Amino acid sequence: MSTVIARTVTRTVVPIILVTAVALLLQGHNLPGGGFIGGVLTVTAFALIYIIYGLDYLEEELLHQNRETIIESLQHGIVENYQIAFGVGLAVAAVSGLVPLLFGGNFLLQDHWYTPALPVYGELHVASALAFDLGVYFVVVGSLLTILAVVGSE
Amino acid sequence: MQPTPDPAASAVLAVVFLPFVAAAFVPLVYRALGERTAYYAAAVALACFGLVASQYGTHGTVSFPWIPSLGVSVSFYVDGLSLLIGFLASGVGVLILTYSGGYMHGEPGQPKYYAALLAFMGSMLGVAFAADLIALFVFWELTSLSSFILIGHYQRQKSSQYAARKSMLITVSGGLFMLVGFLLLHAVTGEFSIVYMLENPEFVQEQLRAEGLFLPVLGLVGVGAAAKSAQVPLHIWLPNAMEAPTPVSAFLHSATMVKAGVYLLGRFRPVLVSHEWELAFAILGLTTMTVAAILAVGATDIKELLAYSTASHLGLIVAGFGFVSELGGETGAFHIINHATFKAALFLVAGIVAHEAGTRKIDNLGGLKDDLPITAGIAVVASLGMAGVPPFNGFYSKELLFEAAWEAAHAAGGGLAYLYPAVAVFGSVFTFLYSIKFLMLFFGEKPTGLHKVHSPPKAMLAPPLLLGVLAGLVSIGGLLGTFDIHFAPFDDFVTEVWAATVPPGADLHGGFSYYIPDHVTPALAMSAVTIALGAAAYPFYDRLHRGVNAITDVNFLRANWYYDSTVFGVNDFSDTTAATVQNGLLRTYATWAMASVAALALAGYVASGVALPDFSGFAVTIPLALVLGVAIVGAVAVSIAPSHISGVLTLSILGFMVAVFYVLASAPDLALTQLVVETLLLVIFLLVLDKLPAFYGNAGRGKMIRDGVLSAVVGATVFVTVLVSTAATPDAPLADYFRDPALTVDQAGGHNIVNVILVDFRAFDTMGEIAVVAMAALSVLTLVAMRERGETQ
């Protein structure tokens, strides 16, 4: 499937997809988007690379790591990073739920703040739910990529 | 009765939970003490015994708030009956654990053994003291679980596995019957408290009768008790349970676990006692007593003999509790004590014999008194007590049973009711026979092939000796009673137990006392007949033994045969089913899964009688209709796609149309999700399809029709589900609640309702969902990795 056209398009499109995904994640609280959609979109970018350049490209060409067998790559290679991603995601979500307990709130109680008049940016609106959303994002990215890589390598 | 002090809360709590805590420490202790862990466990049991003893003479309830907002509390009740069972569990526990120190020498799996024994003792103490139906049920099933571990101690042996599974199946499912009975009781009275029922027995019974639930409750609780106490025809697990190490048999199957059933009857006797009660339990008990005694005569193994004998004596206790008169309660209360002493002693004696002589076959044993003089002495006291020969302890409680049976027959006006005393005597003849047979292991000639038998270690000899002495003391108490010398604390204690098994205000005839009657009573005459018949029949023991075995060789006369046919029949059925449903073809899996989901859902709708909403015309705009029309075309195209690739591509037409539909229905968030997920799915599909053949080839016509019908049914199910689930839209849609800016913007700080719901209002749900996603990824990883490693079969 890797024609020159496909490769070129992928090169151009993947960064755009990633930026869009992050944008979706950050704006999710006020506009369509959120951790789940952002996560799935990120995975799409990776999937595109996998299809156009092959499964090993990420690891061998970009990260310069060589694995002998499938098992080894499942245990140590990039898949391990994916696993760390969803582990971290779960932890972030859980911790973001626990923090309110320190301030006497319920588990997963959320809050939000306006920061008026930042230089250049202007008003900034931060919701604590963003931390939880970030957790969701990482879990989705990590899990789907794990599945993708494992199933793809079959 | 005079007022008694309240039990000490901390002591009662400690007595129930100490064994569990101690059990948790067993692995650590074993590392330090090795085989001497037995004495650690015995010390724990001794501490429990001390705590139980400290509550002697108290009476009342101890409650600890647990979930006060729901009115749930952990409560314990102390009275004569619970103290008795508490004494048995902890006291016999001390002896058994000491004995284990000698018996289990060099056996594998000791930490597990001691931990399970301690946990078992804790659950048994919990059963004894629980004052709450739910707590009682929990501890009750815990005894089943821990006994499962103990019976299956030799876990590699097929017979142990079979025995453990059998006892578990029977006692646990009996417990479930009991639970249903408890829930009915709760439904009628609104109380989980046993104390409430004991305080208002008449009111509870009236209410039960008014609701027509008296007989169901009686039956359900009865099934639970019968399963645990090995009543016919549920007795079959008890002989198999002898696969366990002998100390376990002595502990569980003579003194404690099997007593849970009779305890339950004693506990509910004041509440449920009635004409129906007598009919049910007197018949059940007498039948068990007779049948099990006959089976004991057919036994060839000494532990098997004792197992059937236990079932038989439990039948005696059940029959005692079954008789409505006060005498019935007295019989049960007193025989629990007698049986625990002589039977536990006999089990331990059997353990010594098996351990030292190396065989348990009755035919290969005899004349052991020269090698094992002390053991023989214990056996004399205990077996004669079991036989009901005066002046040994079993005699007095059997007298009480005869008296109760006679009175019951008298009160019922004769006729068929005279079967009660007749059956009691008939069963007792067999009891006499096998008791003497057991005793004769120690007398007569030594069979050839039996080498010199060594004396057992002290740790194994002391416990049965102590039990034998106790049984002897009770016997001597009866002898002295004849001369009007009474041992007041013992009599008072039995009176306490007795009082707990009769409705409040019943006449106890001035308290319990026992003695050899000095004039001829019907009961004494019955005892005389029993012994005379037994003595006359003993010379024909071998013939009887063969006769019983000839009868039990007939399949459909054995309860075991029914059990085996059912269990193994179900096994075969599940084997066939598994082979049909899971034959390794993805298509078959999908067919069965979808068909059963559709069937269950549709059956659910029919059963709950949901009505489909009225059809109110199409309210669809033209663009919407257009999009849905394209979606339908896409769906049709999928089904006739010539290859996998084109199938997937056309399927995504359907998905994208649904996304457009969401946009038109002003749900941009959903549309976005749908688009992204659809894209990813398409990509993954393509990734997988790269390796697959273009098409599987043509399926047969029959298969096509079947699949077509199935997909139509699944489609219909989904259609109905959507109709039904959207029909019940509330008047004020939920969206209005969340659309309120005061809520979303000010409180949660977000303008996107969907996201606010996901990460704020229902964040806990989301948390669970992402955990599931992570779990799915882990499972995929594990499955694939394991397959590569060749760990699957």
Side-chain angles (χ1 to χ4, degrees):
Chain A
M1 270 193 253
S2 50
T3 58
V4 178
I5 300 179
R7 283 166 180 262
T8 318
V9 169
T10 308
R11 260 167 206 273
T12 337
V13 165
V14 164
I16 301 178
I17 298 180
L18 289 177
V19 171
T20 316
V22 173
L24 277 180
L25 164 71
L26 293 180
Q27 69 170 19
H29 217 44
N30 293 315
L31 295 166
F36 183 77
I37 302 176
V40 178
L41 200 58
T42 311
V43 176
T44 331
F46 279 80
L48 206 54
I49 300 178
Y50 273 149
I51 290 184
I52 302 300
Y53 288 93
L55 274 175
D56 301 327
Y57 176 77
L58 260 185
E59 246 175 294
E60 286 173 9
E61 305 293 322
L62 293 186
L63 305 174
H64 302 292
Q65 292 175 332
N66 287 309
R67 303 289 167 197
E68 292 297 319
T69 62
I70 298 178
I71 286 304
E72 214 176 308
S73 71
L74 286 187
Q75 279 169 347
H76 305 291
I78 200 160
V79 175
E80 195 189 10
N81 298 331
Y82 298 155
Q83 291 173 47
I84 293 174
F86 69 70
V88 167
L90 272 182
V92 167
V95 170
S96 82
L98 290 175
V99 169
L101 295 180
L102 295 181
F103 299 99
N106 289 327
F107 184 59
L108 284 172
L109 182 77
Q110 308 290 3
D111 203 352
H112 62 107
W113 307 273
Y114 287 96
T115 343
L118 276 182
V120 186
Y121 192 87
E123 188 192 76
L124 182 64
H125 178 194
V126 183
S128 66
L130 187 62
F132 184 79
D133 233 357
L134 206 63
V136 175
Y137 176 84
F138 277 121
V139 171
V140 171
V141 170
S143 309
L144 291 185
L145 280 178
T146 308
I147 297 177
L148 196 65
V150 170
V151 173
S153 68
E154 278 288 286
Chain B
M1 231 185 283
Q2 74 276 28
T4 46
D6 279 338
S10 50
V12 178
L13 194 65
V15 95
V16 175
F17 289 104
L18 178 67
F20 289 107
V21 177
F25 280 107
V26 163
L28 276 178
V29 173
Y30 187 78
R31 216 167 275 176
L33 293 183
E35 292 208 335
R36 275 164 298 170
T37 309
Y39 304 111
Y40 156 79
V44 172
L46 192 63
C48 289
F49 186 77
L51 286 168
V52 176
S54 73
Q55 299 313 301
Y56 179 76
T58 60
H59 186 101
T61 318
V62 176
S63 267
F64 301 92
W66 184 11
I67 315 175
S69 54
L70 294 177
V72 176
S73 62
V74 186
S75 53
F76 298 105
Y77 184 60
V78 178
D79 69 350
L81 188 60
S82 51
L83 277 178
L84 171 63
I85 303 291
F87 275 131
L88 287 181
S90 54
V92 180
V94 176
L95 302 178
I96 294 297
L97 287 164
T98 314
Y99 181 89
S100 300
Y103 187 90
M104 297 299 287
H105 176 68
E107 294 271 348
Q110 292 196 19
K112 183 190 76 178
Y113 173 83
Y114 290 115
L117 262 184
L118 281 175
F120 171 79
M121 193 177 78
S123 353
M124 200 59 212
L125 288 166
V127 168
F129 290 106
D132 179 276
L133 291 176
I134 298 302
L136 177 60
F137 170 74
V138 170
F139 284 119
W140 179 276
E141 295 293 43
L142 274 178
T143 61
S144 296
L145 282 180
S146 41
S147 82
F148 171 76
I149 297 172
L150 289 167
I151 294 173
H153 181 72
Y154 301 112
Q155 47 193 345
R156 302 249 174 263
Q157 283 175 18
K158 280 262 185 290
S159 53
S160 288
Q161 296 170 1
Y162 173 80
R165 212 163 39 221
K166 192 174 188 180
S167 77
M168 175 97 156
L169 270 176
I170 293 180
T171 56
V172 167
S173 44
L176 294 178
F177 278 91
M178 186 184 79
L179 178 65
V180 177
F182 285 175
L183 293 178
L184 289 180
L185 265 174
H186 173 72
V188 170
T189 61
E191 285 277 345
F192 276 125
S193 161
I194 298 175
V195 182
Y196 168 83
M197 292 168 200
L198 289 177
E199 278 167 0
N200 312 288
E202 282 170 18
F203 181 62
V204 170
Q205 200 176 120
E206 266 168 35
Q207 273 187 319
L208 281 173
R209 285 188 192 279
E211 299 277 341
L213 286 174
F214 181 74
L215 278 182
V217 168
L218 186 72
L220 290 165
V221 173
V223 170
K228 204 75 160 181
S229 276
Q231 300 296 296
V232 167
L234 302 175
H235 66 284
I236 50 172
W237 66 267
L238 195 56
N240 286 102
M242 295 303 127
E243 287 296 333
T246 301
V248 172
S249 312
F251 192 32
L252 272 65
H253 311 125
S254 70
T256 50
M257 183 164 103
V258 289
K259 291 287 195 313
V262 291
Y263 164 78
L264 186 73
L265 291 183
R267 181 50 83 219
F268 281 94
R269 190 175 185 273
V271 182
L272 299 175
V273 72
S274 59
H275 174 62
E276 296 94 328
W277 169 278
E278 175 168 294
L279 210 58
F281 292 113
I283 292 179
L284 177 70
L286 287 174
T287 313
T288 305
M289 177 181 160
T290 310
V291 171
I294 294 174
L295 289 171
V297 170
T300 50
D301 174 309
I302 48 178
K303 276 181 81 180
E304 190 192 355
L305 184 150
L306 290 178
Y308 280 122
S309 142
T310 299
S312 168
H313 281 273
L314 291 167
L316 197 162
I317 300 172
V318 169
F321 279 144
F323 291 118
V324 175
S325 62
E326 279 79 20
L327 276 171
E330 200 178 358
T331 312
F334 192 30
H335 201 70
I336 290 180
I337 301 175
N338 287 336
H339 177 245
T341 51
F342 69 65
K343 189 54 64 63
L346 285 177
F347 264 117
L348 298 185
V349 165
I352 292 176
V353 169
H355 211 251
E356 305 303 331
T359 177
R360 296 198 320 224
K361 291 269 169 269
I362 293 173
D363 290 342
N364 300 343
L365 290 165
L368 291 168
K369 72 171 179 338
D370 299 328
D371 293 333
L372 305 168
I374 305 176
T375 316
I378 302 166
V380 168
V381 174
S383 348
L384 291 180
M386 178 159 83
V389 174
F392 293 98
N393 60 354
F395 166 74
Y396 308 102
S397 35
K398 194 181 279 179
E399 280 284 294
L400 284 172
L401 176 79
F402 285 164
E403 215 174 318
W406 184 261
E407 291 235 329
H410 214 64
L416 265 184
Y418 275 105
L419 273 177
Y420 287 151
V423 173
V425 169
F426 181 70
S428 300
V429 171
F430 285 93
T431 307
F432 180 85
L433 280 174
Y434 69 69
S435 303
I436 301 301
K437 183 72 186 173
F438 186 87
L439 188 56
M440 291 314 280
L441 296 179
F442 291 91
F443 299 94
E445 268 181 45
K446 220 177 186 183
T448 49
L450 190 61
H451 55 84
K452 163 93 177 127
V453 180
H454 298 285
S455 299
K458 285 194 187 64
M460 282 176 74
L461 195 56
L465 186 63
L466 188 58
L467 286 164
V469 168
L470 280 177
L473 282 178
V474 177
S475 314
I476 293 171
L479 265 183
L480 293 177
T482 318
F483 306 106
D484 228 8
I485 307 167
H486 296 286
F487 183 52
F490 183 73
D491 288 357
D492 287 349
F493 179 62
V494 180
T495 313
E496 280 274 320
V497 181
W498 182 14
T501 64
V502 289
D507 177 20
L508 298 184
H509 309 291
F512 172 82
S513 62
Y514 63 113
Y515 43 82
I516 299 174
D518 51 2
H519 58 278
V520 176
T521 59
L524 190 64
M526 286 158 79
S527 275
V529 170
T530 305
I531 294 172
L533 279 178
Y538 188 74
F540 307 103
Y541 190 92
D542 285 341
R543 206 176 287 176
L544 280 170
H545 174 80
R546 281 195 297 276
V548 171
N549 282 328
I551 293 174
T552 50
D553 278 344
V554 183
N555 271 339
F556 57 86
L557 288 179
R558 287 187 303 137
N560 253 333
W561 180 75
Y562 292 97
Y563 171 84
D564 288 343
S565 319
T566 313
V567 170
F568 292 109
V570 170
N571 255 357
D572 289 344
F573 174 72
S574 69
D575 282 350
T576 346
T577 314
T580 323
V581 176
Q582 309 190 330
N583 61 355
L585 291 179
L586 206 53
R587 185 183 281 265
T588 324
Y589 286 75
T591 309
W592 282 97
M594 288 195 200
S596 35
V597 167
L600 284 176
L602 290 177
Y605 297 140
V606 173
S608 56
V610 286
L612 291 179
D614 295 331
F615 181 67
S616 53
F618 290 108
V620 182
T621 56
I622 295 174
L624 215 52
L626 200 66
V627 169
L628 291 177
V630 176
I632 292 174
V633 172
V636 174
V638 173
S639 63
I640 53 172
S643 76
H644 285 310
I645 301 267
S646 54
V648 169
L649 287 174
T650 36
L651 185 63
S652 60
I653 297 180
L654 184 57
F656 285 118
M657 284 307 128
V658 172
V660 178
F661 167 78
Y662 284 142
V663 173
L664 292 177
S666 54
D669 228 315
L670 281 182
L672 199 55
T673 312
Q674 171 75 19
L675 275 177
V676 177
V677 171
E678 193 60 43
T679 313
L680 187 63
L681 266 185
L682 183 64
V683 167
I684 292 180
F685 259 130
L686 291 178
L687 200 64
V688 174
L689 287 182
D690 202 22
K691 309 282 181 207
L692 286 182
F695 211 75
Y696 283 122
N698 290 320
R701 181 172 286 273
K703 228 176 223 173
M704 296 295 265
I705 292 176
R706 186 196 69 189
D707 289 356
V709 170
L710 180 66
S711 50
V713 170
V714 171
T717 311
V718 174
F719 180 67
V720 172
T721 307
V722 171
L723 276 186
V724 169
S725 57
T726 50
T729 312
D731 291 336
L734 275 178
D736 286 351
Y737 172 78
F738 287 110
R739 215 179 279 158
D740 181 8
L743 205 66
T744 44
V745 181
D746 296 347
Q747 277 193 27
H751 293 277
N752 176 3
I753 304 176
V754 177
N755 198 278
V756 165
I757 294 176
L758 279 178
V759 299
D760 195 331
F761 291 105
R762 307 296 304 268
F764 206 47
D765 279 5
T766 313
M767 187 95 183
E769 280 155 19
I770 58 176
V772 170
V773 172
M775 204 69 76
L778 270 184
S779 328
V780 170
L781 192 64
T782 324
L783 275 179
V784 173
M786 269 173 63
R787 189 171 66 190
E788 293 294 330
R789 259 185 244 147
E791 281 183 11
T792 49
Q793 304 205 327

